[in-house]
Amino acid sequence: MRARDLRDRLRWANVSLRYKGLIVVGIPMLPLVVTAFLWYSNQRRADAADGLVAHTLKVKAELSHTLTLLVDAELGARGYLLTRDPEMVRAFHAATAALVPTLRQLVQDVRDDPSQIARLRKMGPLARNRPLSSIIAHADKMPAGSPPPLDLLERSRTSMKGLRDVLQEMQEAEDALLVTRSDEARAARRQGTRVTIGGLVVGLAGGVFAMLLFTRSVARRVGDVASNAKRLARGEALLPMEASRDEVGGLADALDRAGALLAERDAELRRRVEQTAAANRELESFSYSVSHDLRAPLRHIDGFASLLERRADGLDEQGRKHLRTIREAATRMGQLVDDLLSFSRMGRAEMACADVDLHTLVSDVVEEVRRDEPTRAIEWTIDPLPPVYGDRAMLRVAFRNLLANAAKYTGPVAHPTVTVGTLPRVNGAQIVYVRDNGVGFDMTYAHKLFGVFQRLHAADEFEGTGIGLANVHRIVQRHGGRTWAEGAVNQGATFFIALPDQGEAG
Amino acid sequence: MIADLRRILLAEDSANDVELTIAALGDHGLVNHIDVVRDGAEALDYLYRRDAYAGRTPGNPAVLLLDLKMPRVDGLEVLRQIKGDQRLRTIPVVMLTSSREEGDLIRSYELGANAYVVKPVEFGDFMSAVRQVGGFWAVVNEAPPRVAAG
């Protein structure tokens, strides 16, 4: 179980992006670092070999110098014997004096090499056996031209030869060392170059591999997620994505869930719309019933009351008045039913929106209202009105209601005036108002003005069913607009409608 | 002239409406020319002279006053059958109904109704509407030549 967990967590797809990044960068980096290290160590090896070569050369120089000093001493002693020149004795002493530190240095420099030390040791007795001091003493003692001390000279030559041979051996040993050490330095350099080239190649290959790995495991999947996000934004179905537990996988999962949620909401919305449609159909059939079933009994009440009126000879005045009241009540209820139905139709009717010449429309409606009551002397003022976007027939009903209202409620006023005008646009909405100087209303009840069958005046004071402003409100609302009113008792009223620009009606 | 009048067929399920309609037409002296059926099925029986109406005098009525909403077969169905039948399609059909629904109105004209009258609530208006309709179709209008059914 744990092992499987671990294996699962170590699956490449499940490794988090941070570690994926580390790995992807690490793949080319690692060989490069190793290369750098190897290169450095080879370099050191080469340097060390170079140091040894230099040392060998130094030793060889010292050996040469030693030989020179030995020869100088010999020449000094022999020269003095031949010429009795004291200069020669000084040269002998100088060479002999310089020989001591030179040999000491040589011992110092070859102390790590036992074979050379052994050879050096052989030089001791040979040097000591040289009778140079004796030759000089002989020369001092004997007058010039006397026969040379042949035995001394012979010993000196033999020693000198031994010394030369030893030095020659040592030179040859150093030469051999020089060859191996030079080879060693060259080999180290060559290997360093090879390691560097190899490391670069491996690092480069690692880089290519890492890039492929990144492309395959991250870039492509991020691309998939991005294209799925776009599909989601367009409302299309999502394509299946590889399951994984890194950040990309999390993103893909979240996207999947968002898609599912969206689909769910969509289905829910559809269900709601379906329900609304069903409710609307029900309302439709209800309206139909009201229209048919409620009007029929009303007609019957009025009809039979009317038939009864014809035979009213038996009735007194009071009885006939009751009959009239019955008929009036039935008629009024018929009116209410009709108004309610037209109101409901106004809410359901399809809208046909276009640019509407509001000025002409309002002028026409004013003309209509005037014709309805030709005896009224109302002073109408219509300011220039801008074109608006909406359903012409509905807007006509709205203004018909507003203007008829204005005419109605200015009834008791001596000099009635009605003004239709506009206010500056607010948030792109066109505001049109209808102002009258009629009986007005109490602002306390302003919120009731636009309700169905809400009235602020007694029915016998002003006729009407109270559907007019409700219709105005509904029409403006369906245009995406807003209605409100201002007024005061006996100081007139102003009704405002705000119609938004094209595209917001619905 | 009155003897020549053909009959008015009133298809109406409401007894009250029947009585009021007859009262209205009565003022026109058309009372004796009215036949009343109480639903759509009966109206079709009458027109095709079958079952209870097998023995009636042949000939199409001068006009059919047709209520929309009736039991069994409704007005629109009766209208559809009449206008789809060679022998009956010339009968003038006046939809006489309480419904102000636009859908009913459009559907009726699509099916070939000759007129669509909404019964007014007020009796005076109702009287004059029925009188005008009855008078026009039964008295004034020149009927098509007889092509009797059955």
Side-chain angles (χ1 to χ4, degrees):
Chain A
M1 187 69 200
R2 296 198 76 158
R4 203 201 309 162
D5 260 11
L6 192 66
R7 218 170 33 238
D8 198 39
R9 199 170 321 144
L10 289 181
R11 246 189 71 208
W12 176 243
N14 293 341
V15 174
S16 86
L17 280 189
R18 190 187 318 162
Y19 291 116
K20 272 199 184 102
L22 266 179
I23 292 168
V24 162
V25 172
I27 287 172
M29 284 297 277
L30 197 66
L32 290 180
V33 168
V34 169
T35 303
F37 176 77
L38 288 178
W39 176 83
Y40 178 70
S41 78
N42 264 310
Q43 198 62 34
R44 286 195 43 153
R45 229 178 86 207
D47 285 351
D50 281 348
L52 289 175
V53 167
H55 183 76
T56 307
L57 290 174
K58 184 173 172 237
V59 169
K60 275 171 71 71
E62 282 163 8
L63 287 171
S64 298
H65 190 49
T66 306
L67 182 61
T68 306
L69 291 177
L70 286 170
V71 170
D72 282 356
E74 174 109 11
L75 284 177
R78 284 185 182 241
Y80 185 60
L81 182 65
L82 285 176
T83 61
R84 298 293 194 277
D85 182 357
E87 200 52 39
M88 293 292 177
V89 177
R90 268 203 295 282
F92 165 78
H93 284 301
T96 310
L99 202 52
V100 176
T102 302
L103 279 174
R104 198 176 291 140
Q105 183 62 44
L106 193 57
V107 168
Q108 180 73 23
D109 286 343
V110 299
R111 69 184 184 285
D112 290 339
D113 189 341
S115 61
Q116 293 290 63
I117 290 288
R119 285 185 191 107
L120 264 185
R121 285 226 174 88
K122 281 198 283 184
M123 281 176 72
L126 284 171
R128 273 194 299 280
N129 211 20
R130 273 206 317 178
L132 294 184
S133 305
S134 308
I135 289 175
I136 289 171
H138 176 84
D140 282 343
K141 221 170 6 190
M142 302 296 288
S146 57
L150 289 175
D151 59 326
L152 287 178
L153 289 176
E154 177 58 28
R155 257 176 60 204
S156 167
R157 213 186 61 239
T158 314
S159 308
M160 190 59 214
K161 186 176 176 300
L163 285 169
R164 268 184 202 281
D165 288 349
V166 169
L167 284 173
Q168 186 59 37
E169 272 176 46
M170 286 184 76
Q171 282 286 13
E172 278 165 10
E174 287 301 320
D175 279 345
L177 268 180
L178 192 61
V179 169
T180 41
R181 286 175 176 174
S182 299
D183 283 355
E184 165 82 8
R186 249 199 317 283
R189 287 224 167 70
R190 254 205 311 279
Q191 195 177 350
T193 309
R194 272 202 302 274
V195 162
T196 306
I197 290 173
L200 281 177
V201 168
V202 171
L204 222 66
V208 170
F209 175 72
M211 207 177 73
L212 286 178
L213 195 65
F214 178 79
T215 310
R216 214 185 65 77
S217 72
V218 180
R220 207 192 61 206
R221 286 167 57 226
V222 168
D224 286 354
V225 171
S227 80
N228 253 357
K230 279 187 201 127
R231 295 176 73 87
L232 186 66
R234 286 197 299 264
E236 294 168 13
L238 300 188
L239 300 173
M241 284 174 283
E242 272 175 59
S244 69
R245 285 207 302 272
D246 65 355
E247 288 87 339
V248 179
L251 208 57
D253 271 1
L255 218 54
D256 259 348
R257 279 201 300 278
L261 197 66
L262 208 61
E264 203 176 288
R265 298 265 161 91
D266 202 40
E268 175 68 19
L269 200 64
R270 270 173 221 277
R271 225 170 14 251
R272 293 271 166 84
V273 167
E274 195 53 49
Q275 281 170 359
T276 310
N280 265 338
R281 280 195 295 274
E282 214 165 284
L283 193 69
E284 191 105 16
S285 96
F286 171 74
S287 304
Y288 187 89
S289 298
V290 168
S291 156
H292 194 277
D293 298 351
L294 218 51
R295 281 167 56 89
L298 287 172
R299 194 170 59 247
H300 299 156
I301 291 170
D302 190 55
F304 286 101
S306 171
L307 290 180
L308 189 59
E309 243 175 3
R310 292 184 179 185
R311 334 169 151 240
D313 305 344
L315 286 178
D316 58 5
E317 184 50 37
Q318 193 66 27
R320 281 195 288 274
K321 196 176 158 218
H322 289 336
L323 269 179
R324 268 200 304 282
T325 307
I326 290 172
R327 296 193 56 195
E328 278 166 18
T331 308
R332 180 162 175 75
M333 187 160 168
Q335 190 59 50
L336 285 172
V337 168
D338 281 354
D339 281 355
L340 200 56
L341 282 173
S342 79
F343 178 67
S344 131
R345 257 203 304 278
M346 207 57 75
R348 286 176 289 135
E350 292 283 326
M351 293 179 72
C353 287
D355 287 324
V356 176
D357 179 357
L358 195 62
H359 194 82
T360 309
L361 186 146
V362 168
S363 306
D364 288 354
V365 173
V366 166
E367 214 34 59
E368 260 176 48
V369 173
R370 244 188 205 148
R371 266 203 304 278
D372 283 351
E373 291 185 87
T375 54
R376 295 284 308 283
I378 300 174
E379 191 189 324
W380 296 93
T381 311
I382 307 171
D383 293 343
L385 301 174
V388 295
Y389 184 78
D391 181 299
R392 177 189 299 279
M394 282 189 171
L395 288 175
R396 195 181 173 85
V397 171
F399 277 98
R400 168 85 209 192
N401 279 317
L402 286 175
L403 295 173
N405 255 7
K408 183 161 70 180
Y409 290 103
T410 48
V413 177
H415 300 289
T417 61
V418 178
T419 307
V420 185
T422 58
L423 294 183
R425 282 170 169 272
V426 173
N427 295 334
Q430 188 66 59
I431 300 173
V432 182
Y433 65 84
V434 177
R435 175 170 294 143
D436 66 55
N437 64 343
V439 298
F441 61 88
D442 184 346
M443 276 301 273
T444 316
Y445 306 110
H447 62 283
K448 288 188 159 188
L449 274 172
F450 295 98
V452 180
F453 295 149
Q454 294 284 355
R455 309 204 53 201
L456 299 187
H457 299 275
D460 43 12
E461 194 180 346
F462 294 99
E463 61 180 27
T465 53
I467 204 80
L469 287 179
N471 256 337
V472 171
H473 178 68
R474 177 166 274 193
I475 287 166
V476 172
Q477 204 175 36
R478 289 202 63 190
H479 281 80
R482 205 161 69 79
T483 54
W484 69 100
E486 288 167 4
V489 174
N490 291 326
Q491 288 173 35
T494 309
F495 290 87
F496 299 89
I497 64 178
L499 291 171
D501 279 339
Q502 180 163 357
E504 290 179 43
Chain B
M1 177 193 171
I2 286 182
D4 266 3
L5 283 180
R6 278 190 280 160
R7 309 202 62 81
I8 296 173
L9 179 60
L10 172 63
E12 170 66 77
D13 64 317
S14 154
N16 288 334
D17 272 337
V18 170
E19 198 174 326
L20 290 174
T21 309
I22 289 175
L25 290 173
D27 288 358
H28 226 287
L30 293 168
V31 172
N32 296 322
H33 296 272
I34 304 170
D35 287 328
V36 177
V37 290
R38 304 304 297 274
D39 61 46
E42 228 178 279
L44 291 171
D45 286 349
Y46 178 98
L47 293 171
Y48 286 109
R49 295 178 64 221
R50 58 196 184 200
D51 293 345
Y53 296 96
R56 78 165 173 90
T57 322
N60 286 339
V63 62
L64 167 58
L65 305 181
L66 185 58
D67 189 22
L68 261 185
K69 215 175 141 196
M70 288 187 296
R72 299 208 282 173
V73 181
D74 70 9
L76 286 175
E77 176 57 23
V78 173
L79 178 64
R80 200 183 60 74
Q81 292 204 20
I82 290 174
K83 293 301 177 185
D85 188 312
Q86 278 295 334
R87 295 160 299 175
L88 302 180
R89 66 190 308 170
T90 55
I91 302 173
V93 179
V94 177
M95 308 306 288
L96 200 58
T97 170
S98 303
S99 169
R100 269 183 194 284
E101 279 297 307
E102 239 172 59
D104 286 340
L105 201 140
I106 293 168
R107 190 99 186 88
S108 298
Y109 278 118
E110 275 173 1
L111 287 173
N114 301 74
Y116 190 100
V117 178
V118 177
K119 298 176 203 167
V121 166
E122 205 176 340
F123 186 62
D125 297 343
F126 178 74
M127 290 266 277
S128 70
V130 171
R131 261 189 235 141
Q132 281 172 27
V133 168
F136 174 77
W137 291 105
V139 182
V140 181
N141 188 42
E142 198 64 43
R146 282 168 195 254
V147 188

